[in-house]
Amino acid sequence: ELGQPEDELRPPQSRAQSKSRNSSVNGRMSVDDFEFKEELGQGSYSTVWLGKLLATGQEYAIKRIDKAHLKRHQKEQTALAEKNTLVRLGSGHPGIVRLHWTFQDEWSLFFVLDLARNGELQTRISRLGSLSIECVRYYAAQVVDALGYMHSKGVIHRDLKPENILLDDAFRIKITDFGTGKLLDSGGEPTKTFVGTAQYVSPELLEHNESSKSSDFWALGCIIYQMIAGRFVFRGLADWQKIKQLEYSFPEGFDEQAQDLVRKLLVRDPDQRLGAGPPGSPYDMQALRSHPFFASINWRTLWTAPAPPIE
Ligand code: ATP
């Protein structure tokens, strides 16, 4: 049931915080623990607020989901999937939005999330037209690292795109929007539901309605292309023949090593997509990290060293 297992989500210190504020008798968080400062954006069934935890002054993004709307559109499963996925991912990776607490009132569910103050990567691409090759390298590496973690936890995102890649204070990424995420129970077999966004949809999803962690690497290829070229590699479902036949070309001046990487990600066979193969294969995560495009990336300081200026 949605909203029930808050206790699992509550970090140890929050009980003490709630008690000291005397705001909730049973130690749970509630809307009264926060000051809602400004609206950050709206989704199809939610509104996201910048909220300050009164006890500490810490700021968060608070996603408020309208229960009646969820019910009307039969989206309870989406909200539940988002919560379960975020719970599974926990606080284990800096590149993934962390769910700190959930609570509810009569009308709404609330998800208290890491605040990503610098908005969506999509906005930056649109504003700048395209990104510098150093930026692309940095953001692609951060996505690779976050995907590695996510997949190791048995989570596939299934809707990876620059709108779902948020930027924090330090311009590092925070991947969000796990409403279409999928929890793999074992082995990572493909799953059979059509989800995702047309421009980033993989051939196996189009043809067999199947997605696996490999589909996230297809999306990564599309995102790298888009960051460099400033346009989609495929326009969406209208291009479905082109997606299936891998019919696309690189604009003049497109970095050679990035071209090679994109070609190895936009591969029809999901098992031969770079990053997606079993450990030890030429397509495994290590092979992806070792691709020449990432030669200058220091993977150990990827989340601590300053981000390159976004340009
Ligand atoms: P949909 O529900 O249609 O998929 P969405 O995923 O964008 O849309 P929300 O997750 O509710 O919907 O997010 C609404 C907006 O709030 C987003 O466009 C984003 O700009 C902003 N936002 C979401 N999460 C955060 C966050 N953690 N930090 C800062 N801004 C956020």
Side-chain angles (χ1 to χ4, degrees):
E1 181 67 13
L2 261 174
Q4 286 309 301
E6 281 96 339
D7 288 349
E8 296 159 23
L9 298 179
R10 183 156 22 86
Q13 77 275 17
S14 69
R15 188 180 294 274
Q17 280 166 7
S18 304
K19 262 195 190 146
S20 67
R21 283 193 18 81
N22 200 24
S23 58
S24 48
V25 184
N26 62 5
R28 285 193 173 172
M29 288 291 188
S30 78
V31 280
D32 299 333
D33 289 297
F34 296 89
E35 179 190 346
F36 287 70
K37 298 181 80 165
E38 60 180 275
E39 191 181 306
L40 294 170
Q42 291 198 354
S44 39
Y45 64 98
S46 49
T47 307
V48 177
W49 288 80
L50 194 163
K52 187 166 92 177
L53 180 62
L54 295 168
T56 62
Q58 180 74 36
E59 292 183 323
Y60 298 91
I62 305 181
K63 182 162 173 163
R64 177 182 190 152
I65 304 170
D66 182 58
K67 286 187 188 176
H69 191 278
L70 273 191
K71 208 170 175 146
R72 233 182 357 259
H73 297 269
Q74 291 164 353
K75 288 286 182 192
E76 286 108 327
Q77 283 310 316
T78 307
L80 191 60
E82 181 167 11
K83 176 175 168 175
N84 289 341
T85 307
L86 286 167
V87 169
R88 187 184 287 195
L89 293 169
S91 56
H93 198 279
I96 296 170
V97 158
R98 175 178 169 194
L99 178 63
H100 293 264
W101 302 279
T102 63
F103 48 82
Q104 55 182 311
D105 62 18
E106 200 180 333
W107 306 277
S108 311
L109 304 173
F110 296 87
F111 291 1
V112 182
L113 301 158
D114 277 342
L115 175 62
R117 232 180 266 271
N118 279 308
E120 300 173 5
L121 182 59
Q122 178 58 53
T123 311
R124 306 289 160 163
I125 303 173
S126 306
R127 233 184 256 167
L128 296 163
S130 61
L131 301 182
S132 72
I133 201 72
E134 280 322 306
C135 266
V136 174
R137 203 186 315 281
Y138 177 77
Y139 288 116
Q142 290 206 326
V143 173
V144 166
D145 201 62
L147 282 182
Y149 171 79
M150 203 187 289
H151 292 164
S152 78
K153 292 285 167 190
V155 171
I156 50 180
H157 189 287
R158 300 202 296 181
D159 196 15
L160 193 63
K161 54 181 172 177
E163 286 95 330
N164 291 337
I165 301 173
L166 305 179
L167 301 172
D168 70 8
D169 291 346
F171 284 94
R172 299 186 187 114
I173 69 158
K174 294 268 182 206
I175 297 180
T176 188
D177 205 356
F178 287 86
T180 46
K182 179 77 192 169
L183 300 180
L184 301 170
D185 295 326
S186 60
E189 303 88 35
T191 68
K192 285 231 174 206
T193 342
F194 186 87
V195 293
T197 302
Q199 288 85 2
Y200 308 90
V201 80
S202 57
E204 65 273 14
L205 242 144
L206 270 179
E207 286 175 48
H208 312 295
N209 229 359
E210 274 189 2
S211 58
S212 64
K213 63 180 187 172
S214 220
S215 319
D216 287 341
F217 291 105
W218 175 277
L220 172 65
C222 296
I223 295 167
I224 294 173
Y225 183 103
Q226 183 188 347
M227 289 193 286
I228 297 174
R231 59 175 164 84
F232 299 128
V233 55
F234 302 111
R235 283 167 309 162
L237 295 181
D239 269 352
W240 73 287
Q241 287 291 355
K242 293 185 179 167
I243 297 174
K244 290 200 303 189
Q245 286 154 17
L246 293 179
E247 208 184 301
Y248 67 94
S249 58
F250 294 100
E252 213 171 301
F254 197 109
D255 182 272
E256 297 278 336
Q257 284 166 340
Q259 276 192 39
D260 185 77
L261 177 56
V262 169
R263 279 200 202 95
K264 288 175 172 153
L265 290 166
L266 300 184
V267 167
R268 269 185 62 91
D269 181 351
D271 296 332
Q272 297 196 0
R273 229 165 262 157
L274 196 57
S281 75
Y283 315 108
D284 69 1
M285 195 26 127
Q286 197 44 52
L288 173 56
R289 287 169 177 267
S290 309
H291 188 278
F293 182 62
F294 294 127
S296 62
I297 291 288
N298 183 340
W299 294 94
R300 273 177 317 171
T301 58
L302 189 59
W303 301 96
T304 47
I310 194 150
E311 58 189 17

